[in-house]
Amino acid sequence: METQVLNATEYRNVTLAVLTESKTNPRRTFEENALKELAESIRSQGVLSPLLVRPLTENGFEIIAGARRYRAAQIAEQSTVPVRIVHLSDAAALEAQLVENLIRSEIHPMEEAQGFRALLDLEDPKYSVEQIAAKVGKTPAFVAQRLKLSDLAPAAVEAFYADSIGVGHALLLAKLPADQQEQALRACFKEVYANEDKLARILLPVRNLQFWIATNILLILKDAPFNKRDAQLVPIAGSCADCPKRTGHNKLLFGDDLGKQGDQCTDPTCYQAKLSAHVAKAIATKPKLVQISTAYGGQKEGSPALPRNKYTAIRDDKPKSKDDAKRPEYKVCKFTTEAIVTEGTDVGTVHKVCANPSCAVHHPKPLTSREDEKWKAEHEKRRKEQAIANATGLRVLAAIGDAVPVRLMKRDLLFILERLVSLMEENRLEMLARQHGVRQKRDEGGVAKTLAAFIRRADEGMLSLLLVESSILLAASRGNPTTILRDAATAYKVDTEAIAVKVKQEFVAKEKARKTPQPATKIEKKAA
């Protein structure tokens, strides 16, 4: 039976007993302290703003907006509250709840997402993303992103409500398939030493998660070897052009992520299924197609793919020099044939290879003993030159470190250094650790953690030195090491030529000492 309300809109005071909270209210969390503060205000001044309600039964009303005031009035032990009674449909009530909460107090993004989702799921009237955006005064892109939050996995929702992750992290996670979200959630955090023996988990910036997703999950569709428009390759998946899981399908949601790489697949499992189907189809079409592996190390037992040492891949690009043109991979022989990669990287791509072990071009006969000796001598010469260059470089680096002044505060130095070190590759970290005698123990969790502990114990002078050395090593990994080291030496007025001469002299002395016969020891004399 409907309530007997004469006017379309009516104001009155009603008892709390006749009010019921709405099940569609997007607000699900109520901060206890805020409610207590509101209750104190109600005790002294009463409820200043009427609750918006609609008739539920003859003597009962559903709260459309004002759940916080209703709960605070209960805490304040009020007998009645002012209400504004209106007749609203379910859709109009839901819309009013959303708008009211957005205007009065910022609600949690998850609650906002659930409210938008409830509006979008209504059958009558039917809302679009653009219509919802117009109703709440937001952009369509904002609404689309909030709606995507409703696809968060339970573990991510729990972390979001607990403020363990921010809205930026949550939006990135929500764009991934459910089976990828938990793995990506773990990548949001990093374990660091809070003190000497305890680990603490810290939240990494959103850009770190973006990089992790781009590296481990997103797959660039333009590089896919299969036909993206073939709906029959994997019938259950359909064509990539119509797939809602690619970034280009929803520009409102992925507009900022498309970038220069273009369309990307967010479902590695589906991508892998299509890759396997493409390989199977190619082999079935061309049974004589050679299968090769680009992976290093051992293969699975019974694998039909040729390992790397059993074939030579013929390069398609032109040689850059005369010396390059003489290399086997730039030559074509009579045994050259097509091959498809079935293991390792670039699976599904087709290349030209020579897999004939008797080919004189790509599988030459072993060197004679004389040629072998000449090759070994040349190899040893290059090795010594490289060793001298490495030792010279490290000595120059140490000299530059001696010239670094102490200027920044320890807090600043530590902040910059830890971020620089996090960008360095493991071999560069090992060089930096070896430079300062930092030894890694088996139970210390790797050179990165060992070096991190050393950095936290260092004083300002050592941090300054490490900062300059790390900058040089990091820059050297991305550019010409010789040029970068020379520029640093010039900046700190280090005489690289003098250091190079001294290193060469030391190597000559070591070589001479190695060739000089050693005198017999006392034990050897006694034995004689």
Side-chain angles (χ1 to χ4, degrees):
M1 181 181 294
E2 294 186 358
T3 184
Q4 299 298 316
V5 179
L6 299 178
N7 300 320
T9 300
E10 179 183 348
Y11 292 87
R12 70 165 75 161
N13 283 342
V14 299
T15 61
L16 294 178
V18 301
L19 297 177
T20 304
E21 288 193 46
S22 173
K23 294 180 180 179
T24 59
N25 185 5
R27 184 183 289 279
R28 292 287 183 269
T29 55
F30 296 87
E31 191 180 346
E32 187 176 351
N33 290 335
L35 282 177
K36 289 180 179 178
E37 290 177 4
L38 183 56
E40 287 298 324
S41 173
I42 290 173
R43 283 193 186 98
S44 60
Q45 301 180 40
V47 178
L48 300 179
S49 179
L51 284 65
L52 181 65
V53 302
R54 66 171 177 169
L56 190 64
T57 62
E58 184 174 357
N59 296 312
F61 302 93
E62 180 187 28
I63 301 172
I64 303 302
R68 287 181 71 251
R69 283 164 280 165
Y70 169 70
R71 293 192 179 201
Q74 287 179 318
I75 296 172
E77 298 178 345
Q78 299 292 299
S79 58
T80 62
V81 290
V83 298
R84 176 189 169 206
I85 305 169
V86 293
H87 288 279
L88 295 173
S89 64
D90 291 343
L94 183 58
E95 181 183 313
Q97 287 170 337
L98 266 176
V99 175
E100 176 75 13
N101 278 296
L102 284 171
I103 292 174
R104 288 189 174 275
S105 178
E106 184 181 356
I107 63 173
H108 195 280
M110 273 306 304
E111 296 171 342
E112 201 172 25
Q114 289 159 358
F116 289 153
R117 176 61 62 187
L119 269 180
L120 198 65
D121 291 344
L122 285 175
E123 291 296 332
D124 186 25
K126 198 71 177 174
Y127 284 92
S128 66
V129 170
E130 289 74 16
Q131 287 172 328
I132 295 174
K135 290 286 185 182
V136 299
K138 301 289 183 179
T139 64
F142 175 88
V143 175
Q145 290 183 336
R146 283 295 189 267
L147 282 167
K148 194 62 182 173
L149 287 178
S150 60
D151 292 335
L152 277 175
V157 172
E158 183 180 350
F160 194 19
Y161 269 127
D163 289 332
S164 298
I165 59 174
V167 66
H169 301 87
L171 285 171
L172 287 176
L173 295 174
K175 294 175 184 179
L176 304 177
D179 58 343
Q180 303 289 338
Q181 287 188 31
E182 289 196 20
Q183 187 182 2
L185 179 60
R186 291 192 291 272
C188 292
F189 304 95
K190 179 182 180 181
E191 289 187 341
V192 297
Y193 282 99
N195 49 45
E196 292 297 329
D197 56 352
K198 289 186 179 180
L199 283 173
R201 194 175 73 158
I202 62 170
L203 179 65
L204 296 171
V206 174
R207 64 178 177 275
N208 288 58
L209 179 59
Q210 284 177 320
F211 178 78
W212 186 91
I213 290 173
T215 307
N216 295 276
I217 294 180
L218 293 183
L219 296 157
I220 303 171
L221 283 173
K222 69 178 181 181
D223 296 338
F226 52 82
N227 182 1
K228 274 76 73 178
R229 296 188 176 275
D230 186 358
Q232 299 304 315
L233 187 61
V234 179
I236 194 172
S239 75
C240 296
D242 301 323
C243 181
K245 289 180 284 188
R246 65 179 177 86
T247 57
H249 186 272
N250 192 339
K251 294 183 179 180
L252 277 178
L253 187 61
F254 291 99
D256 295 336
D257 300 332
L258 294 179
K260 295 181 180 179
Q261 294 179 329
D263 226 350
Q264 298 177 74
C265 173
T266 64
D267 190 347
T269 304
C270 180
Y271 186 94
Q272 187 59 46
K274 289 197 172 186
L275 205 56
S276 300
H278 165 71
V279 170
K281 184 178 179 180
I283 294 173
T285 305
K286 295 182 179 180
K288 293 184 179 181
L289 202 60
V290 178
Q291 298 182 44
I292 60 174
S293 170
T294 57
Y296 291 92
Q299 288 182 284
K300 294 180 180 178
E301 188 176 350
S303 172
L306 292 177
R308 294 179 68 96
N309 61 344
K310 296 294 184 181
Y311 69 88
T312 299
I314 312 301
R315 297 183 59 163
D316 295 328
D317 56 320
K318 293 182 179 180
K320 296 180 180 179
S321 64
K322 291 182 179 180
D323 290 335
D324 283 349
K326 295 177 183 178
R327 292 164 60 182
E329 59 264 34
Y330 284 102
K331 297 178 181 179
V332 177
C333 67
K334 62 181 181 180
F335 302 109
T336 299
T337 185
E338 284 190 335
I340 187 169
V341 181
T342 57
E343 294 178 14
T345 57
D346 300 325
V347 172
T349 56
V350 176
H351 304 269
K352 291 180 179 179
V353 302
C354 172
N356 193 319
S358 62
C359 175
V361 176
H362 298 104
H363 302 277
K365 295 179 180 179
L367 298 174
T368 63
S369 58
R370 193 168 184 178
E371 290 174 331
D372 190 41
E373 288 177 5
K374 183 179 179 181
W375 180 86
K376 287 182 178 178
E378 185 66 26
H379 179 73
E380 180 64 17
K381 180 182 177 183
R382 287 198 299 269
R383 188 194 65 78
K384 287 180 180 178
E385 290 175 351
Q386 186 62 46
I388 291 173
N390 288 343
T392 303
L394 288 173
R395 197 74 60 83
V396 171
L397 188 63
I400 293 170
D402 293 338
V404 174
V406 181
R407 292 182 181 177
L408 300 177
M409 294 176 63
K410 182 176 181 180
R411 175 193 61 194
D412 305 317
L413 293 169
L414 190 60
F415 176 84
I416 299 169
L417 184 59
E418 285 181 338
R419 278 145 188 81
L420 272 179
V421 168
S422 68
L423 298 173
M424 293 169 63
E425 298 172 354
E426 188 171 359
N427 63 331
R428 301 287 174 177
L429 292 176
E430 290 174 353
M431 291 176 67
L432 189 62
R434 188 167 63 249
Q435 178 76 357
H436 294 280
V438 178
R439 301 293 180 185
Q440 175 191 348
K441 296 179 181 178
R442 291 183 179 179
D443 58 346
E444 288 183 344
V447 67
K449 290 189 177 181
T450 308
L451 187 60
F454 172 77
I455 289 171
R456 284 191 295 273
R457 294 193 300 267
D459 57 19
E460 287 87 345
M462 178 57 72
L463 288 174
S464 298
L465 189 154
L466 288 166
L467 184 60
V468 175
E469 292 178 341
S470 300
S471 301
I472 294 170
L473 289 171
L474 185 61
S477 67
R478 288 160 170 76
N480 187 324
T482 304
T483 303
I484 291 164
L485 199 61
R486 184 179 64 243
D487 292 344
T490 302
Y492 286 97
K493 299 179 180 179
V494 171
D495 190 347
T496 57
E497 293 184 3
I499 293 174
V501 170
K502 190 172 182 180
V503 171
K504 287 181 180 178
Q505 290 173 348
E506 291 174 1
F507 269 75
V508 171
K510 287 180 181 178
E511 186 71 12
K512 186 176 180 180
R514 188 177 65 82
K515 292 181 179 179
T516 303
Q518 299 294 323
T521 63
K522 291 182 179 180
I523 296 176
E524 290 173 340
K525 288 180 179 179
K526 187 175 181 181

